[in-house]
Amino acid sequence: MTTRTKAVLILFIFATLLSCHKEVKSRQGGIDMISNVYFNASKGLDQMQTFHVSKMNYLGDSILEIIPDHTLPGINSGMNFISDSLYYSLQDNPGSTVISELIAKHHGKLVYNKKAGAIFSKEDIPNYNNRRKLSDTVLFKKNYKRFEINSPWMYTRFYIYPTDTILPYSLYRHVEEDYGGRLERIDSYNKKTDAFVTLQIIPRHQWDDEAKDFFSFNRYIQQKSNK
């Protein structure tokens, strides 16, 4: 084998390895953010309350967020259209909302300042450099990488699902880049308030009904404008 042939072979192998680790963006689907809060956790896990924080539906990088009402099951307290780092509040009937008109007529607000629904952060996890690696575990029939951060006031565990498929939403993108996967669960224990909180980010393939109407209507509008 000649020197040139060896060089070409090495480059081919290197390119193949890079392509194997290429990230794949999920085209469409949904993401549920659910939190369980356990009060007086050191005395047991009987005092618990579940919050469906957000129901996100996405098509490409566009997100329709539905915010459930925590006091009235089956009722929504708000909806947002999210694009890039901006969000736009929607009315009760997103099925008649034209995205282009919404963006043109309203000023978007930064998602990092949003007070309800999914949490958006552009900051790194506090004390991230002092994290400690934990052994991998299986949770809900999925394998997870884990690490923990222990501070005087908070103990937190992070669960990353190894995958090349990325979603348009991530709570801490820097973690996903470091670990090559999706951050799907955070367990936190507040040592001062004695509260244990789990935050789950659960991907799904289906859209909510409101999202079906919203994206279908805008696809129709786009097709009509292209004729």
Side-chain angles (χ1 to χ4, degrees):
M1 183 180 292
T2 66
T3 302
R4 182 178 180 182
T5 303
K6 289 181 180 179
V8 172
L9 180 60
I10 291 172
L11 288 173
F12 174 77
I13 294 173
F14 182 67
T16 302
L17 290 173
L18 286 178
S19 64
C20 291
H21 292 85
K22 184 179 180 181
E23 291 181 339
V24 179
K25 285 189 175 183
S26 178
R27 175 60 182 162
Q28 68 178 57
I31 307 167
D32 288 308
M33 179 177 282
I34 297 175
S35 179
N36 293 324
V37 182
Y38 299 84
F39 305 95
N40 301 315
S42 62
K43 299 178 182 179
L45 301 178
D46 298 327
Q47 298 183 49
M48 187 268 283
Q49 189 170 357
T50 298
F51 299 94
H52 200 155
V53 181
S54 175
K55 297 189 290 183
M56 289 175 278
N57 302 264
Y58 62 90
L59 177 62
D61 292 325
S62 298
I63 299 174
L64 175 68
E65 179 187 31
I66 302 170
I67 304 173
D69 191 309
H70 297 155
T71 60
L72 298 172
I75 302 298
N76 300 320
S77 63
M79 294 187 192
N80 297 313
F81 172 70
I82 301 172
S83 180
D84 296 325
S85 59
L86 300 176
Y87 77 97
Y88 304 81
S89 297
L90 300 180
Q91 301 300 321
D92 294 333
N93 185 16
S96 60
T97 300
V98 180
I99 294 176
S100 58
E101 294 180 358
L102 178 71
I103 295 175
K105 295 179 180 179
H106 299 83
H107 293 290
K109 301 177 182 178
L110 285 174
V111 292
Y112 311 112
N113 299 329
K114 192 158 61 71
K115 302 301 182 182
I119 304 164
F120 285 77
S121 175
K122 57 181 177 180
E123 306 295 334
D124 287 354
I125 295 172
N127 213 22
Y128 181 66
N129 290 334
N130 295 323
R131 67 191 183 280
R132 187 174 74 90
K133 184 181 183 302
L134 297 173
S135 59
D136 296 350
T137 190
V138 176
L139 196 63
F140 305 121
K141 299 181 180 181
K142 297 174 72 173
N143 293 310
Y144 285 97
K145 297 178 182 179
R146 298 185 301 165
F147 67 88
E148 66 179 9
I149 297 177
N150 195 6
S151 68
W153 60 90
M154 186 78 70
Y155 175 79
T156 311
R157 283 187 175 181
F158 300 82
Y159 297 75
I160 302 97
Y161 174 61
T163 178
D164 291 334
T165 303
I166 62 172
L167 305 176
Y169 171 82
S170 174
L171 183 55
Y172 292 111
R173 185 68 74 186
H174 72 97
V175 173
E176 301 190 336
E177 293 173 351
D178 289 345
Y179 285 84
R182 291 197 302 257
L183 179 60
E184 292 191 350
R185 183 184 177 102
I186 302 175
D187 292 346
S188 302
Y189 176 64
N190 190 310
K191 300 175 184 179
K192 293 183 178 180
T193 63
D194 194 25
F196 176 68
V197 179
T198 69
L199 181 65
Q200 294 176 267
I201 299 170
I202 306 172
R204 51 183 162 84
H205 297 294
Q206 297 80 18
W207 283 336
D208 291 300
D209 290 340
E210 295 91 339
K212 291 178 184 177
D213 295 339
F214 177 75
F215 288 122
S216 296
F217 177 68
N218 277 276
R219 185 182 291 116
Y220 166 75
I221 295 296
Q222 184 63 40
Q223 292 173 346
K224 188 176 180 180
S225 64
N226 290 337
K227 290 182 179 180

